[in-house]
Amino acid sequence: DISYLDQYLEDLSLILMEYGELAFQEEVSPLSIAVSKNNPYIEIIQKIIEFKPTAYALEDEDGSIPIHHACACNEDTTIIEYLYSLDKTCLEKVDNYGASVIHYATFSGHMNIVKYLLTIQPLCVTYAEGNGALPLHDAVQNCRGRYHQTEITSMLLTVCPEAASKRDSLGAFPFHRAVKSSTVQVAQMLIDIFPKAVFATDSEGLLPIHYFSQRVDKDQQLDLLQYILELNPKGTSM
């Protein structure tokens, strides 16, 4: 609604003039909050940056910048495209835990955002977090359950199939994480590329079957259990 947006922008201008500089000294900046809304008006984002031209690059307490939050909370690419236009290096920026924007997008299950990021920077598929996790590790256990896991996993493997054979700092392959949080379809895609993962133990000696046993919904994932056992029948005796 145009009249609503005009009134909102007018009110926002008054608030920024009155309290803006103080707000940008908080643990989370106003821009990070604004882009965290699902598909916010671009005019609101532009108004904040008009007031604070460096806002797109300001770090929050956890080291993240606004585009991290935008990738975690938006289905549409409009805001991400705008923030990227302001800073072409933003895809390499990491938070205090080593997570880049592609990790935020894959863990949140935002298929359109992941597709966009892979289009403009295919190498981001190889970015590792501080815990060694690649975007693929995050995608197969995204925080929204099985939201777009199959599609995102397929996109990541198309760009970088060797990601299926990469361990995180705990020695887990994406397949380990997948059997704990994903579906049999995702597990099959990973095994098609890297079959050895089903026999592999992590740094604590845990097999994928052990990861499956940690699922809260394992009773609803019997097809995945059957798939794992067919691949490695001896897994239950180890």
Side-chain angles (χ1 to χ4, degrees), residues 131-222:
N131 64 1
L134 296 175
L136 182 60
H137 286 92
D138 285 345
V140 300
Q141 60 168 10
N142 76 62
C143 67
R144 301 176 71 183
R146 290 180 290 280
Y147 195 68
H148 290 315
Q149 280 180 331
T150 304
E151 297 89 341
I152 293 175
T153 298
S154 178
M155 284 191 286
L156 294 171
L157 289 174
T158 298
V159 176
C160 184
E162 57 268 30
S165 61
K166 302 297 182 181
R167 296 180 185 266
D168 62 19
S169 59
L170 295 176
F173 290 112
F175 183 72
H176 286 85
R177 294 197 183 197
V179 299
K180 182 178 179 180
S181 305
S182 195
T183 64
V184 67
Q185 289 79 13
V186 170
Q188 288 171 334
M189 283 193 288
L190 296 169
I191 289 300
D192 285 346
I193 294 175
F194 187 59
K196 293 181 180 179
V198 73
F199 305 104
T201 57
D202 66 10
S203 56
E204 295 183 348
L206 298 179
L207 286 162
I209 190 68
H210 297 123
Y211 278 72
F212 178 85
S213 68
Q214 298 170 16
R215 294 187 72 121
V216 296
D217 64 341
K218 50 182 173 289
D219 291 341
Q220 286 77 50
Q221 298 295 327
L222 297 181

Side-chain angles (χ1 to χ4, degrees), residues 95-156:
D95 65 14
N96 294 344
Y97 307 98
S100 61
V101 295
I102 185 70
H103 293 103
Y104 277 68
T106 52
F107 189 65
S108 299
H110 294 307
M111 181 176 61
N112 291 334
I113 306 303
V114 174
K115 183 178 181 180
Y116 172 71
L117 295 176
L118 292 176
T119 299
I120 60 176
Q121 178 54 287
L123 281 178
C124 70
V125 73
T126 65
Y127 295 170
E129 292 181 70
N131 64 1
L134 296 175
L136 182 60
H137 286 92
D138 285 345
V140 300
Q141 60 168 10
N142 76 62
C143 67
R144 301 176 71 183
R146 290 180 290 280
Y147 195 68
H148 290 315
Q149 280 180 331
T150 304
E151 297 89 341
I152 293 175
T153 298
S154 178
M155 284 191 286
L156 294 171

Side-chain angles (χ1 to χ4, degrees), residues 76-87:
D76 184 77
T77 63
T78 301
I79 301 302
I80 288 82
E81 290 179 40
Y82 174 64
L83 293 172
Y84 178 70
S85 73
L86 299 175
D87 180 10

Side-chain angles (χ1 to χ4, degrees), residues 62-77:
D62 64 356
S64 61
I65 58 176
I67 196 169
H68 285 94
H69 299 277
C71 287
C73 300
N74 284 265
E75 298 283 357
D76 184 77
T77 63

Side-chain angles (χ1 to χ4, degrees), residues 1-10 41 43-44:
D1 184 85
I2 300 301
S3 60
Y4 166 80
L5 178 58
D6 289 342
Q7 182 62 56
Y8 188 97
L9 290 172
E10 182 178 337
Y41 289 109
E43 293 87 350
I44 294 173

